[in-house]
Amino acid sequence: MTASPSFSPLTGGCQCGAVRYEITAEPLTTATCHCRDCQYASGGGPAHALLLAPQALAVRRGQAREHRYLGDSGNTVVRSFCPDCGTPLFGHTEGQDYVIVKAGSLDDPAAFRSRMTLWADSAPPWHHVDTSVPCHGGKAAG
C-alpha cells in the first residue's frame, strides 16, 4: 500500500521511547470506542483509534508486548503495549484485515479526527458521547 499524494506519514510511539512506529498510508477509518474492553485498556474512558491496513503500520524501533483474550465475537483479540512503560499502542482481532493504532500514541494526537462512535451504549454516564459523527450502540441515538 502506498500513501496517497496528500497523505503525510504519521509517527508515534510509547511514552518512554522504547517503541516507535510510522503510519505510511491513509487510515481505513478512525473511531472512538466505548466498549468495556476499551475502557479497561484506556483506564476508564473510550479508546480513540486509527484502523489501518496491516502493511500501513511500520514499527521502526522496539517491540510491543501482546495481551491476548477471547472477545465477545468469539475471535482472539490482541492488544499491544510497551513492555517498559505500559503505553497502549496497537491492537487487532485475529481473522480481520486491519490493525488498530491508539491515537494517544501519535506524536501529534491532534491529527486524530474520529469518523464514528462505537459501543456508545456502554459509555459510563459521566463520559461524553460524540454524536456529531455516526454513532452506533444505542445510547447516543435517542
Side-chain angles (χ1 to χ4, degrees):
M1 173 175 275
T2 58
S4 69
S6 63
F7 180 75
S8 295
L10 300 170
T11 58
C14 64
Q15 186 178 27
C16 73
V19 179
R20 297 287 304 154
Y21 65 82
E22 183 177 28
I23 297 172
T24 60
E26 188 78 35
L28 301 170
T29 194
T30 57
T32 297
C33 183
H34 292 274
C35 80
R36 189 66 181 113
D37 287 341
C38 284
Q39 292 173 32
Y40 280 118
S42 72
H48 305 284
L50 300 90
L51 283 74
L52 313 172
Q55 61 272 28
L57 176 63
V59 177
R60 300 294 187 206
R61 179 172 62 224
Q63 183 174 348
R65 184 168 177 198
E66 294 182 344
H67 169 66
R68 296 171 175 270
Y69 61 94
L70 193 60
D72 289 339
S73 66
N75 295 322
T76 299
V77 177
V78 181
R79 294 195 182 261
S80 302
F81 55 94
C82 174
D84 294 331
C85 68
T87 300
L89 297 167
F90 317 121
H92 70 274
T93 301
E94 290 184 351
Q96 302 297 315
D97 195 27
Y98 62 84
V99 295
I100 294 169
V101 173
K102 301 294 185 153
S105 70
L106 293 169
D107 288 338
D108 179 12
F112 175 80
R113 296 282 185 270
S114 186
R115 295 180 193 157
M116 69 179 83
T117 298
L118 305 173
W119 290 97
D121 55 352
S122 296
W126 47 263
H127 200 277
H128 170 76
V129 174
D130 183 3
T131 58
S132 69
V133 295
C135 196
H136 306 280
K139 176 179 173 182

